[in-house]
């Protein structure tokens, strides 16, 4: 009894500890709260944004995108248009199935089959093997015009796409130097699309199916990588000059 009274006197005025206090963020009893950013809990590390190469499926995805074109060119040289269409479609389906088995992104797999099917359908409908490349040729012209006009309008499309994909606002356009950097990147992309159109349209007019396939592969991802590097350079340079970068810097402790 005396012991209890003494303990009550010692505890008098002392706050009763909360059982929840003292639990660390790694407490196995609270797995749902670990890394949630709640008070006393560690912040969850943000997931890194996938690069352009990763979004394309990595090196394997780049190779896969070129295989149906190669199969079409070889099939056309060996057995004619029908053989070329069957070879391209069959290989596109096999690639899509392999991607699904590996549990990769579904969209590249479906998009690859869909793109090959449309190109093959146009070629079958016209009866000309070179028309397999028709959509790609005129798509490059359309993209060259759109990107070029965006520079003339003072809204370089490289910057618009960059900040839109990152969920940022459009205040970067208020910085003349930022517009200039992204304008240069947009001009680089415009030149890439225009070069694709010029070369492939020339080969199309010359009815060079084999050379068309080679040009489509060589001027595909390799040139696009140059454009991505130009956009990355513009983003790095603009981040030091844009209003968004200035606001972010002013908020830093």
């Amino acid at each position: 009894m005396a012991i209890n009274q003494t303990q009550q006197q010692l505890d008098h005025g002392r706050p009763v500890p909360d059982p929840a206090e003292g639990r660390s963020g790694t407490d196995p009893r609270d797995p749902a709260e670990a890394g949630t950013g709640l008070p006393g809990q560690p912040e969850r590390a943000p997931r890194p944004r996938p690069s352009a190469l990763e979004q394309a499926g990595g090196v394997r995805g780049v190779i896969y995108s070129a295989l149906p074109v190669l199969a079409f060119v070889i099939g056309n040289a060996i057995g004619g248009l029908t053989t070329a269409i069957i070879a391209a479609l069959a290989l596109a389906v096999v690639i899509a199935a392999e991607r699904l088995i590996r549990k990769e992104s579904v969209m590249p797999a479906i998009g690859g089959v869909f793109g090959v099917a449309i190109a093959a359908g146009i070629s079958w409908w016209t009866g000309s093997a070179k028309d397999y490349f028709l959509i790609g040729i005129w798509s490059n012209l359309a993209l060259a015009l759109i990107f070029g006009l965006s520079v003339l309008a003072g809204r370089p499309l490289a910057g618009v796409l960059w900040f839109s994909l990152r969920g940022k606002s459009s205040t970067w356009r208020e910085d003349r130097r930022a517009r200039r950097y992204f304008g240069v990147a947009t001009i680089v992309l415009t030149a890439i699309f225009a070069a694709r159109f010029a070369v492939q349209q020339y080969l199309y007019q010359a009815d060079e199916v084999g050379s068309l396939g080679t040009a489509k592969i060589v001027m595909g991802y390799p040139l696009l990588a140059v454009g991505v590097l130009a956009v990355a350079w513009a983003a790095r340079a603009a981040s030091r000059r844009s209003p968004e970068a200035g606001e972010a810097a002013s908020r830093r402790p």
Side-chain angles (χ1 to χ4, degrees):
M1 183 68 178
I3 295 176
N4 292 337
Q5 291 177 350
T6 303
Q7 184 65 35
Q8 291 175 0
Q9 292 175 358
L10 291 174
D11 291 341
H12 180 69
R14 181 187 302 172
V16 179
D18 188 348
E21 293 180 359
R23 287 185 183 179
S24 64
T26 57
D27 191 340
R29 291 173 297 177
D30 282 322
E33 293 182 0
T36 60
L38 296 175
Q41 301 296 329
E43 294 290 339
R44 178 178 298 170
R47 294 181 180 179
R49 184 178 296 273
S51 65
L53 181 61
E54 292 171 341
Q55 293 178 5
V59 177
R60 183 185 291 108
V62 174
I63 296 174
Y64 282 175
S65 67
L67 289 180
V69 177
L70 188 60
F72 183 88
V73 172
I74 295 175
N76 183 68
I78 294 176
L81 180 59
T82 302
T83 303
I85 292 175
I86 294 174
L89 282 174
L91 188 54
V93 171
V94 170
I95 290 173
E98 195 269 347
R99 277 178 160 173
L100 294 177
I101 291 174
R102 293 174 61 89
K103 297 182 179 180
E104 296 180 359
S105 178
V106 178
M107 291 308 297
I110 297 177
V113 175
F114 188 69
V116 172
I118 292 179
I122 293 176
S123 183
W124 174 80
W125 184 63
T126 62
S128 175
K130 67 180 183 179
D131 287 340
Y132 180 86
F133 306 93
L134 202 57
I135 292 180
I137 292 173
W138 291 101
S139 295
N140 283 315
L141 177 61
L143 288 171
L145 291 174
I146 293 172
F147 274 77
L149 291 174
S150 72
V151 176
L152 296 178
R155 294 172 176 255
L157 195 53
V160 174
L161 293 175
W162 174 265
F163 285 99
S164 296
L165 290 175
R166 295 176 65 85
K168 299 295 183 65
S169 64
S170 59
T171 56
W172 64 272
R173 291 199 298 265
E174 300 173 4
D175 190 325
R176 182 173 60 183
R177 290 176 63 90
R179 290 200 311 270
R180 185 182 305 168
Y181 293 134
F182 280 107
V184 171
T186 304
I187 291 173
V188 171
L189 289 168
T190 301
I192 290 173
F193 294 130
R196 285 178 178 176
F197 171 76
V199 172
Q200 294 178 27
Q201 177 66 10
Y202 171 80
L203 295 173
Y204 178 86
Q205 295 293 339
D207 203 14
E208 295 286 344
V209 177
S211 298
L212 263 174
T214 302
K216 185 175 180 64
I217 294 173
V218 173
M219 302 182 76
Y221 279 107
L223 281 186
L224 183 59
V226 176
V228 171
L229 288 176
V231 175
W233 164 82
R236 178 182 294 272
S239 66
R240 296 192 294 265
R241 299 294 306 180
S242 66
E244 290 178 347
E247 293 173 3
S250 65
R251 291 194 297 267
R252 292 175 183 172

